Amino acid sequence: MSTPTTREWLQTLVAFDTTSRNSNLHLIEHVRDALAALGVQAQLFKSPDGAKSNLFATLPARDGSTQGGIVLSGHTDVVPVDGQTWNTDPFALTEIDGKLYGRGTCDMKGFIAAGLAMVPEFLAMERNKPLHFALSYDEEVGCVGAPIMLEQLRLQGQRFDGCIVGEPTSMQPVVAHKGINVWRCRVHGKAAHSSLTPRGSNAIEYAARLICRIRDLADSFKAHGPYDEFFDVPYTTMTTNQISGGIAVNTIPEYCEFAYEFRNLPGIAPGSIQAQVEAYVQQELLPRMRQEFAEARIEFESCAGAPSFDTAETEAISQLVQALTGDREKRKVAYATEAGLFQLAGIPTVVCGPGAIAEAHKANEFVGIAQLQRCESFLRKLAQSL
């Protein structure tokens, strides 16, 4: 029986609606069973509620060794299509003019499909090192799944020579990206009739003061750095993107909440940035609020995050990927991936995969067939290098 091609694998993967709010188990179990049919056993590392799962599988070296080697990493979840106008069914792979359309084709089921299609070829090679597949859940909502998998692998004593995260980079190596940190702030004041303002404590107004402070911090990073000119936005950024509060135009609002994010350059500790936000609250805002209402409070919740990532040019995995792609340009990007998690786990990592990040997350997402062919060629050379 013939094994699926990259295109056939991609058709199958796209048909699974693995929007982050849904379970990914149907996709993971399909991949597990397909690998088992080829003699490859996979481990499933499930979410705490059991509704989702990571998958980890090893293609051993010719001597049976499972230690070392390269990890091929990809996330299985995709962003929603809600509110987007598609020209095709987002969950049915459609070819138009050399492009394959569908949700996740670019971000990042194309890379996963290419890797899975080549498993029979990988198994036939006389490799001195193993190849590993690490498929995660909930990357799109804060890199939730991968840490569970990495911790279990650590407990098992697994060691790896490197990792390639196949996010869309147009098959160009990316050696660094910023971290992302998403926070929600809840401001609790006191309601009052708007004609009696001294009897209330306006949660929206105090939230606005804090939002302006966050903007001041952002302006300071822009004006004073630190900078890394290899990034398209060469400094740490901060922005407030959601806000809600108040119940009526004539009522002092007792509650307001807003969400903000910051994307820190590698080497900038995210905790130090959040500490500046909270210091302003403790030293400036809360004392003023509590003069109006003794029980006023401001709460913070960390909603999502992914660490920054920066691979040294001397790392073997960086040199290997640059050699295999023939591309030695130093690229750093503002978007976040799971690469920082693998690096924190002590695994040297590079980001390189098919498709352009500009096509991700929007309607009519696609990956070019030529990009998938380049990915296949790259993975073949990678396996041969082992």
Side-chain angles (χ1 to χ4, degrees), residues 106-377:
C106 171
D107 184 16
M108 56 177 293
K109 292 179 176 179
F111 178 78
I112 297 172
L116 292 173
M118 297 190 71
V119 168
E121 189 172 338
F122 294 154
L123 291 172
M125 292 181 182
E126 291 291 315
R127 289 172 290 99
N128 293 319
K129 294 283 187 119
L131 266 175
H132 313 270
F133 285 85
L135 307 185
S136 65
Y137 68 88
D138 280 4
E139 187 270 352
E140 297 288 7
V141 291
C143 297
V144 174
I148 293 173
M149 175 167 50
L150 288 167
E151 174 61 11
Q152 290 301 312
L153 295 173
R154 183 190 69 81
L155 293 173
Q156 293 176 8
Q158 289 275 11
R159 301 186 309 277
F160 309 102
D161 298 324
C163 173
I164 297 170
V165 177
E167 291 277 6
T169 67
S170 299
M171 292 308 301
Q172 299 169 327
V174 166
V175 298
H177 65 62
K178 293 181 179 180
I180 182 172
N181 309 268
V182 180
W183 288 82
R184 187 168 298 279
C185 178
R186 299 179 175 90
V187 182
H188 299 265
K190 183 181 180 182
H193 194 283
S194 59
S195 66
L196 302 170
T197 57
R199 299 184 183 180
S201 183
N202 193 312
I204 288 179
E205 292 178 353
Y206 283 104
R209 290 179 184 270
L210 180 53
I211 289 169
C212 288
R213 175 59 177 167
I214 290 170
R215 176 56 189 262
D216 288 344
L217 289 171
D219 290 343
S220 179
F221 282 122
K222 181 178 180 180
H224 306 295
Y227 303 106
D228 186 332
E229 298 300 332
F230 285 100
F231 285 92
D232 50 359
V233 180
Y235 47 85
T236 294
T237 60
M238 301 183 74
T239 180
T240 300
N241 298 328
Q242 288 181 316
I243 186 168
S244 64
I247 61 170
V249 71
N250 61 352
T251 302
I252 301 296
E254 66 176 340
Y255 180 78
C256 181
E257 73 171 55
F258 63 93
Y260 62 98
E261 67 158 41
F262 51 91
R263 294 176 182 257
N264 57 293
L265 289 175
I268 305 297
S272 67
I273 299 173
Q274 178 62 17
Q276 293 182 68
V277 176
E278 296 188 23
Y280 176 73
V281 167
Q282 294 298 323
Q283 297 167 13
E284 300 286 341
L285 285 192
L286 274 180
R288 293 185 62 172
M289 288 188 75
R290 286 173 176 168
Q291 288 178 356
E292 301 171 348
F293 177 49
E295 298 177 20
R297 67 188 192 277
I298 298 177
E299 304 163 339
F300 293 95
E301 177 190 1
S302 175
C303 300
S308 61
F309 145 73
D310 196 356
T311 293
E313 291 183 75
T314 55
E315 291 277 13
I317 186 65
S318 179
Q319 294 179 345
L320 174 62
V321 173
Q322 289 177 340
L324 294 179
T325 58
D327 188 333
R328 298 191 178 276
E329 183 175 338
K330 183 184 289 188
R331 291 183 182 83
K332 300 183 179 184
V333 297
Y335 60 85
T337 77
E338 292 173 332
L341 296 170
F342 283 89
Q343 190 172 58
L344 280 178
I347 307 169
T349 304
V350 170
V351 182
C352 186
I357 193 65
E359 303 305 329
H361 291 201
K362 64 183 186 180
N364 302 317
E365 176 183 351
F366 72 86
V367 65
I369 293 174
Q371 280 284 303
L372 293 177
Q373 292 170 341
R374 285 183 63 186
C375 184
E376 292 171 344
S377 176

Side-chain angles (χ1 to χ4, degrees), residues 18-42:
T18 51
T19 304
S20 302
R21 61 180 173 239
N22 302 331
S23 172
N24 74 333
L25 283 178
H26 47 334
L27 181 152
I28 288 293
E29 291 169 352
H30 182 88
V31 172
R32 177 200 62 193
D33 294 345
L35 291 174
L38 296 170
V40 178
Q41 300 306 309

